[in-house]
Amino acid sequence: MNSLRPIGIIGTGKYVPERILTNSDLEKMVETNDEWIVSRTGIRERHIAAEHEATSDLAYQAAIKALDSAGMKAEDLELIIVATITPDTSFPSTACILQDKLGAKGAAAFDLSAACSGFVYSLATATSFLQTGMYNNALIIGADTLSRITDYTDRNTCVLFGDGAGAVVLGEVPQGRGFKSFDLGAEGAGGSLLKLEAGGSRLPASQQTLEEKKHFIYMNGREVFKFAVRVMGTATERVLEKAGLDKTDIDLFVPHQANIRIIQSAMQRLELSEDKCVINVDRYANTSAASIPLALVEAAEEGRMKEGDTVLMVGFGGGLTWGASVLVW
Ligand code: ACO
């Protein structure tokens, strides 16, 4: 990977909807309480899209900030990838809808479905295109509107999710910087632990699927938790090894924000102190594909990375999938 031209992040932007749903709001909706949610998940509040907002609208807001921070015009974009499991529509893709909204005429555009790992999967995909010279720049967005597929009568899931979007522009960077390694993987056999059953070709939407609430997220939380703790550790070790680095080389750890206990277990395994870890699950909850970019962009805005820092991103999600990357900022 190091012999190819170096590709890194040259612009960042994020967006979360205005409306905040707090734990005390949820106490009025289902049988739960703030103490349970905070102690089991670390979540205090989440942002929820307005009725008129779809995933492409969240993505658009993040994208224009990322383009602005890269000093780039939309018409100069060559590739757009939107990582999402809540596209505006099955087709056209959210990336195509966004391409039109941005005025990024002619840019290749497609969605990538890898749930919460989608952003890292997209970074790896775009980096490969850019390293080989097929394209010179790319806009990568992790955006999800999980509130649209969450059952707000199910306390097992409704406390966990929020909406948002995080975007980066990728381009050539000076030698020594940029992406050093990726580790992507999947365990399709565990797919039924975390799924949205209806609405596809297997089980098209019908009166019955609506009545059986099969258009909402189903999750076996305990099993997903175990998978998460396992792959956050193994993917991190592998991606460091591929980059020829050690856990002591990590300057900033940017994990998927699903549950504070999963993040803490990864930090323990890596022997990382809190100042080296980005945590915003308390304010945004699990925003799926938006989770890692929201954390990364927030860290960038807070000035937590300096040139040459080693940043490790790692996530897991439906599929089941995982993705990790080592980036020199
Ligand atoms: N409020 C109060 N009690 C609750 C709530 C709630 N919101 N939700 C569940 N409980 C109850 C359960 O019913 C259960 O009661 P019981 O013992 O009487 O059956 C009890 O609390 C404990 O439930 P557990 O499942 O053991 O709780 P756990 O500590 O495992 O936490 C959680 C559950 C938070 C879901 C955890 O398992 C988790 O975070 N799992 C991973 C989730 C995840 O990261 N998913 C990724 C999805 S992202 C994507 O790809 C879309």
Side-chain angles (χ1 to χ4, degrees):
M1 189 159 161
N2 289 339
S3 58
L4 298 162
R5 65 174 178 165
I7 301 300
I9 292 175
I10 58 169
T12 60
K14 70 176 200 320
Y15 175 76
V16 287
E18 217 172 287
R19 185 180 157 216
I20 292 174
L21 184 71
T22 64
N23 289 351
S24 81
D25 294 330
L26 282 161
E27 282 176 5
K28 294 171 199 128
M29 296 159 69
V30 288
E31 204 187 318
T32 189
N33 58 76
D34 179 61
E35 196 282 324
W36 191 96
I37 303 172
V38 174
S39 64
R40 297 295 179 107
T41 71
I43 299 165
R44 293 181 186 277
E45 57 188 38
R46 63 291 284 146
H47 290 248
I48 303 293
E51 228 169 277
H52 66 272
E53 282 178 316
T55 297
S56 70
D57 301 311
L58 311 188
Y60 175 77
Q61 295 297 335
I64 52 173
K65 288 181 195 148
L67 285 169
D68 186 49
S69 105
M72 249 182 89
K73 292 197 188 87
E75 57 259 40
D76 297 328
L77 277 174
E78 296 183 7
L79 171 67
I80 301 172
I81 306 179
V82 177
T84 188
I85 51 164
T86 49
D88 288 26
T89 53
S90 288
F91 67 92
S93 69
T94 301
C96 285
I97 295 168
L98 180 67
Q99 188 237 35
D100 180 45
K101 278 187 189 171
L102 287 170
K105 281 200 182 111
F110 63 91
D111 289 357
L112 193 150
S113 170
C116 309
S117 314
F119 181 71
V120 179
Y121 262 70
S122 300
L123 290 178
T125 306
T127 298
S128 308
F129 277 132
L130 268 57
Q131 281 176 331
T132 59
M134 182 154 171
Y135 298 111
N136 293 302
N137 61 56
L139 172 67
I140 309 302
I141 301 147
D144 265 310
T145 317
L146 289 185
S147 62
R148 296 283 148 75
I149 55 168
T150 297
D151 177 1
Y152 285 96
T153 65
D154 175 12
R155 70 173 183 175
N156 290 298
T157 53
C158 75
V159 301
L160 303 174
F161 304 121
D163 302 333
V168 296
V169 178
L170 301 188
E172 190 165 354
V173 292
Q175 281 295 340
R177 293 172 62 190
F179 289 101
K180 298 294 167 193
S181 62
F182 288 100
D183 186 69
L184 309 180
E187 276 181 24
S192 62
L193 297 174
L194 181 52
K195 64 182 176 184
L196 191 149
E197 219 177 332
S201 58
R202 176 69 61 199
L203 196 56
S206 68
Q207 189 63 36
Q208 193 181 344
T209 61
L210 279 175
E211 281 163 10
E212 290 173 356
K213 296 190 167 190
K214 287 187 170 160
H215 295 273
F216 291 127
I217 297 171
Y218 163 82
M219 183 175 72
N220 179 331
R222 276 179 214 186
E223 289 305 315
V224 174
F225 192 97
K226 285 189 224 160
F227 167 79
V229 168
R230 172 165 57 84
V231 300
M232 292 277 276
T234 52
T236 301
E237 282 162 10
R238 269 197 306 268
V239 82
L240 281 169
E241 198 186 324
K242 286 181 191 174
L245 297 174
D246 186 68
K247 61 187 177 188
T248 56
D249 294 313
I250 301 171
D251 295 305
L252 196 68
F253 182 56
V254 187
H256 173 39
Q257 308 285 315
N259 185 317
I260 190 70
R261 292 184 293 142
I262 297 172
I263 297 173
Q264 283 164 346
S265 117
M267 281 167 62
Q268 253 173 11
R269 187 158 168 169
L270 293 166
E271 296 176 56
L272 282 180
S273 52
E274 247 189 53
D275 60 309
K276 288 195 169 183
C277 183
V278 184
I279 299 173
N280 62 17
V281 66
D282 53 325
R283 285 172 292 126
Y284 301 132
N286 181 350
T287 54
S288 190
S291 154
I292 291 178
L294 274 178
L296 181 80
V297 174
E298 201 160 82
E301 287 172 355
E302 288 168 3
R304 290 184 69 180
M305 285 99 87
K306 56 181 193 314
E307 209 174 294
D309 274 358
T310 297
V311 179
L312 197 149
M313 295 179 242
V314 61
F316 62 90
L320 299 170
T321 55
W322 71 84
S325 75
V326 169
L327 166 73
V328 175
W329 190 253

